[in-house]
Amino acid sequence: MDCIFCDIIEGKSEAEIIYEDERVISFLDIRPVNYGHTLVITKNHYENFLSVPVKELNAVIKAARKIAEAISISLKTDGFNIVANNGTAAGQSVFHFHFHIIPRYNTDKFHFRPELKNYSNGSMKEFADKIRTAVKK
Ligand code: AMP
Ligand code: ZN
């Protein structure tokens, strides 16, 4: 299986590694939205958020917190986005689960403002019911 992130983990491909522990590795995104844009990934290959076992998800979230804090302090950001694209429709291009941590500044020109919808009468409850019945306890 061809996976650029697995290649980075195995040392076959270069990366600016920011952090590493038993389960997680973090490195700079090669095409940053803003400089310092960092990815946090599990060392095991999982395609997306739903395929990551909870234990490893905990580890990756814990690491993401550390990295977000380090980015905020060291780059003096005004904020940051934590984003995970899941599936081609959502813009995922590398199918090894990752969080993006994107440094943000009041003056940056990056906007994520999609056209927002309105629910028609009663349809908000319909959507909520569909999702509620599918939530696993
Ligand atoms: P996504 O589109 O959410 O799957 O994000 C994949 C990200 O991986 C993109 O932002 C790419 O710029 C980044 N990327 C791809 N190849 C590399 C690489 N060799 N080193 C660092 N980042 C990479
Ligand atoms: Zn991989």
Side-chain angles (χ1 to χ4, degrees):
M1 180 200 46
D2 246 14
C3 173
I4 181 63
F5 290 177
C6 284
D7 286 350
I8 288 171
I9 291 160
E10 288 162 24
K12 290 186 202 155
S13 196
E14 276 189 22
E16 281 298 341
I17 294 174
I18 300 293
Y19 171 81
E20 185 169 3
D21 65 30
E22 198 190 330
R23 295 181 198 276
V24 175
I25 189 164
S26 173
F27 50 90
L28 291 187
D29 193 306
I30 203 166
R31 295 292 314 279
V33 172
N34 278 326
Y35 298 122
H37 176 164
T38 300
L39 303 174
V40 186
I41 74 173
T42 54
K43 281 190 171 171
N44 288 325
H45 180 98
Y46 301 108
E47 187 170 315
N48 61 40
F49 185 71
L50 295 182
S51 41
V52 182
V54 169
K55 214 171 188 179
E56 283 167 83
L57 206 50
N58 285 340
V60 83
I61 287 172
K62 201 170 158 193
R65 192 191 189 288
K66 266 189 218 290
I67 305 308
E69 192 170 39
I71 286 175
S72 302
I73 294 167
S74 62
L75 304 183
K76 299 182 173 60
T77 65
D78 298 313
F80 56 88
N81 293 102
I82 296 183
V83 182
N85 301 322
N86 288 274
T88 310
Q92 185 174 10
S93 62
V94 175
F95 292 87
H96 179 136
F97 177 71
H98 50 283
F99 280 122
H100 294 254
I101 304 181
I102 305 171
R104 297 300 308 275
Y105 301 93
N106 293 331
T107 53
D108 71 31
K109 298 277 188 274
F110 172 61
H111 295 300
F112 180 71
R113 288 192 194 126
E115 206 179 300
L116 303 180
K117 300 183 192 320
N118 289 302
Y119 283 105
S120 59
N121 273 354
S123 78
M124 193 166 179
K125 184 175 181 315
E126 270 173 39
F127 275 92
D129 283 343
K130 261 191 201 161
I131 299 167
R132 269 194 287 266
T133 54
V135 173
K136 291 187 180 133
K137 294 274 154 67

